[in-house]
Amino acid sequence: MKHIRHLALSVLLALSLMTSALAAEVPVSLVVENLNGRQRIVKTYELPPGTDPETLKEPSFDYDGFTYTWAYTTKEEHTFLETKNVSETVTVETGKKDLNAVLEQLAPSIPYDDGEFSGELALDHTTITTEAAGYTTRSGKVTATKTIGPLDRNDMSYIPATTVKDGRTLTLSNVEWQVIGTDLVGDVLAPSSYQAVATYSASTSSQVATGYVSTAEYKGTVTASGIESITYTVVYVGTEIVPEPPQPTEPVKQGGPLSGGNAAAIGGTLLVVLLLAALAGGVVWLYLHRKNVYVYVPGDQPRDYKLIAKFRVEPEKPEIQVNEDQIGSAHMLAVEIKKPLAKKLLNQIFTVNHPCGAQRYMVLRDNPGDWHEFPLDNHIEEMEEAT
């Protein structure tokens, strides 16, 4: 009797694995127990975020004299917290090369959020650099004035044609004569001495900055947190099956070892063996051909993902093709490689073909699996142009 119960439990587990394989979800454990007088079957699943627990429910089934019906599902979230150091470069423009003017344009800290990691970055003053944004030519004029005298007459030969100022040669541009002394000639005063006020000038041009550009780095530690996996426990409660009373039958005549009763028993046993063999083969086939690459798009809530496609990928050809109708208007794809395949593809290149092109990346995680996200900016532009 105990052997038959163990065989029946094996059949039940095989049926459960086959049903779960059809749904692409396999329980990590299955327990048959009697708790406080109630017969139960408990199935436990380890699944990624975004899985709909409603898909784990199974219709009522019979096992070992009981009819089992879904009672409830519990959920336990396994969170993660990661940190990393990042830096961002910020550029500002100022009208002059002055540190105070630059600092007025730079905030003490800035927020950081790449969709996965977030935090605050602080200004690193040692990284501030300033340089001219461009140059333009500015024209001008340099002048100098010289007073020459006293002179006995207003003769231009006394006036130099050039003069030097700050290392630059200036040319005479104007002379103003002034009488500074007179003598009485007869009854008339006549000029006896002069002085000249000479003006010199020269045109100038110079390169001046049109403005200044300053760059600075913001640095800090940012964090990423969320749900890495979820444990779902699905409980089924059993109700004992009350057998119908046996119907009266005619007496069976005694026969030899190959009488009708023995032949029927042997035939029934062979039929059960054949059914179990076929069932086991079906379970093995489903397990070997189960989907091992899931593709998601962002859901309606932050860090919520919606499953859009499942693929069966062989290690010899690590690539998938995602179609336009699967992506819809999504701006990002997330690809999850299940643990068994991720172990075989560790440190290999995986290719995701999509309407915008192809995304290639290296598989770096094998426990619990590899998860990779990338944007579809070209896809968004094509959608906008189409509308």
Side-chain angles (χ1 to χ4, degrees):
M1 187 66 178
K2 183 182 293 186
H3 175 72
I4 295 176
R5 290 174 60 87
H6 288 171
L7 180 61
L9 181 59
S10 299
V11 173
L12 178 64
L13 179 58
L15 284 171
S16 174
L17 288 175
M18 183 177 71
T19 303
S20 299
L22 291 173
E25 308 297 352
V26 179
V28 296
S29 70
L30 185 150
V31 177
V32 180
E33 63 182 7
N34 188 290
L35 181 64
N36 298 327
R38 300 188 69 185
Q39 195 69 18
R40 309 195 318 166
I41 290 180
V42 181
K43 296 184 179 183
T44 304
Y45 301 83
E46 288 285 347
L47 300 174
T51 302
D52 184 1
E54 292 295 319
T55 61
L56 305 179
K57 294 182 183 180
E58 298 177 30
S60 299
F61 56 89
D62 295 341
Y63 166 66
D64 197 22
F66 290 86
T67 297
Y68 288 90
T69 304
W70 174 85
Y72 60 88
T73 301
T74 63
K75 173 182 177 182
E76 181 184 359
E77 296 180 346
H78 305 287
T79 60
F80 69 92
L81 178 64
E82 299 179 13
T83 62
K84 69 176 181 179
N85 294 324
V86 298
S87 64
E88 280 198 352
T89 301
V90 174
T91 301
V92 297
E93 295 185 4
T94 56
K96 54 184 178 179
K97 190 176 183 179
D98 180 75
L99 180 59
N100 291 330
V102 173
L103 291 176
E104 289 179 358
Q105 301 293 324
L106 294 171
S109 64
I110 59 174
Y112 177 89
D113 190 345
D114 64 359
E116 182 178 3
F117 288 82
S118 61
E120 288 285 328
L121 305 182
L123 174 63
D124 184 353
H125 294 77
T126 63
T127 63
I128 298 176
T129 59
T130 302
E131 59 182 17
Y135 291 92
T136 185
T137 301
R138 179 178 294 175
S139 300
K141 193 173 186 179
V142 178
T143 61
T145 301
K146 295 181 64 176
T147 301
I148 304 172
L151 303 173
D152 59 350
R153 63 183 183 277
N154 53 352
D155 189 342
M156 289 295 295
S157 63
Y158 290 124
I159 311 302
T162 62
T163 189
V164 176
K165 180 180 181 181
D166 299 329
R168 186 187 301 273
T169 300
L170 281 65
T171 304
L172 180 66
S173 61
N174 186 52
V175 177
E176 180 183 347
W177 293 96
Q178 299 175 349
V179 177
I180 59 174
T182 58
D183 286 334
L184 185 61
V185 178
D187 295 331
V188 180
L189 288 174
S192 60
S193 63
Y194 299 84
Q195 70 176 11
V197 179
T199 301
Y200 298 84
S201 64
S203 297
T204 63
S205 64
S206 61
Q207 296 291 312
V208 295
T210 58
Y212 294 90
V213 175
S214 299
T215 59
E217 289 188 10
Y218 287 79
K219 301 178 180 180
T221 301
V222 294
T223 61
S225 61
I227 300 174
E228 186 172 31
S229 63
I230 301 176
T231 299
Y232 290 100
T233 302
V234 185
V235 179
Y236 300 86
V237 175
T239 302
E240 186 175 3
I241 301 173
V242 179
E244 296 181 0
Q247 301 294 325
T249 59
E250 295 183 2
V252 179
K253 295 182 179 181
Q254 298 294 325
L258 294 179
S259 63
N262 290 338
I266 293 174
T269 302
L270 290 175
L271 180 60
V272 171
V273 172
L274 291 175
L275 287 175
L276 289 176
L279 181 61
V283 171
V284 171
W285 187 90
L286 288 171
Y287 180 79
L288 293 177
H289 291 80
R290 69 194 188 282
K291 307 297 185 180
N292 52 13
V293 177
Y294 289 10
V295 180
Y296 304 84
V297 297
D300 298 329
Q301 302 296 327
R303 302 196 65 79
D304 179 28
Y305 296 89
K306 180 173 64 176
L307 181 65
I308 62 168
K310 300 178 182 179
F311 298 90
R312 172 67 189 179
V313 175
E314 300 299 333
E316 297 80 12
K317 190 177 181 182
E319 66 174 301
I320 60 174
Q321 174 69 53
V322 184
N323 299 326
E324 176 76 26
D325 57 348
Q326 295 172 320
I327 297 176
S329 60
H331 65 278
M332 185 184 74
L333 282 184
V335 179
E336 178 189 15
I337 302 178
K338 293 296 184 177
K339 180 178 178 180
L341 179 61
K343 283 187 175 182
K344 296 179 181 179
L345 297 181
L346 193 62
N347 297 325
Q348 296 188 40
I349 298 300
F350 190 82
T351 302
V352 180
N353 297 299
H354 52 82
C356 299
Q359 182 76 13
R360 298 177 177 85
Y361 62 93
M362 182 175 290
V363 179
L364 300 177
R365 293 187 62 188
D366 63 348
N367 189 10
D370 184 78
W371 179 275
H372 184 78
E373 301 177 4
F374 57 90
L376 294 173
D377 295 338
N378 292 338
H379 180 63
I380 296 175
E381 293 175 0
E382 293 175 359
M383 293 290 293
E384 290 177 349
E385 290 176 359
T387 57

